[in-house]
Structures are given as structure tokens and as C-alpha cells.
Amino acid sequence: MRDDRGSATVEAAIGISALTFVSALLLAGAGVATDQLRCTDAAREAARLLARGQPARAEQAVREIAPRGARLDVVREGDAITAGVEAEPVAGLLPGIRLRSRAFAIAEPGSGP
């Protein structure tokens, strides 16, 4: 006859560890999705403000809307403006993953170069 005492404890510990790991993955995924939406919103707002000739407000909008440490890249070709926002998701807790979003706008007349 085998002694099975303690086997339920080991199985419970393994089950709890697996549940904790899956929960952490779900939370990280939700954080990435939220930060991607914030990058998209920031890029859209920056493109709109750049089209109106307000680059300082565009950078301020990215600082306020996008995740911390996000970077704004602007490409202007004639009247076409492309605003790109790049950031690390979940405050940099997921190394090697970068979020990127771009938005396009046409400059309003008289908005400057």
C-alpha cells in the first residue's frame, strides 16, 4: 500500500501556480490592449493638432494620452501629415514588445509648414 499523504497539497500548489500564471498573462494582455488604444488615441489627436498648426499642443496631448515614455514622430510631406506614437506596453514590464500607432491628416490652410 502506497502512502499518498501530501499529494493533494502538491497538486493544489501546482494548480494555484498555473492559475496565477494564467491570470498574470490575462492582466498583461489587457494592459497591452489598453496601452495600444491609448497610443492610437494619442496619434489621432496629435495628427489633428498638427493639421491645425499646433505642434506644442500635439506633443502635450501625446504626453497626457499615451502611455508613459511614449514618443511622437511626425512626417510631413506637403500638406500630408503623419503622426506616429511608439511606446512600451505596461510601463516596460514586457521587454521586447513595442506598441506603434499612426494617424494621418491633411494640414488646414494657413496652418504653417
Side-chain angles (χ1 to χ4, degrees):
M1 185 161 134
R2 292 184 341 175
D3 186 15
D4 288 339
R5 281 187 290 154
S7 64
T9 304
V10 171
E11 291 169 357
I14 291 171
I16 290 172
S17 297
L19 185 60
T20 302
F21 179 73
V22 169
S23 297
L25 285 178
L26 289 173
L27 288 173
V32 169
T34 300
D35 285 351
Q36 179 64 47
L37 289 173
R38 291 175 64 194
C39 284
T40 301
D41 289 345
R44 184 186 66 234
E45 186 66 19
R48 187 182 68 80
L49 288 167
L50 289 165
R52 292 174 49 189
Q54 299 173 328
R57 291 190 65 196
E59 293 209 17
Q60 178 185 0
V62 169
R63 281 193 306 272
E64 291 178 9
I65 298 170
R68 183 177 311 222
R71 187 169 51 98
L72 173 64
D73 293 319
V74 178
V75 176
R76 185 169 184 145
E77 295 176 356
D79 285 345
I81 298 170
T82 303
V85 175
E86 184 174 327
E88 293 181 359
V90 195
L93 293 177
L94 300 172
I97 298 176
R98 299 288 295 173
L99 301 176
R100 292 178 186 91
S101 188
R102 293 172 40 170
F104 179 82
I106 300 294
E108 293 181 7
S111 65

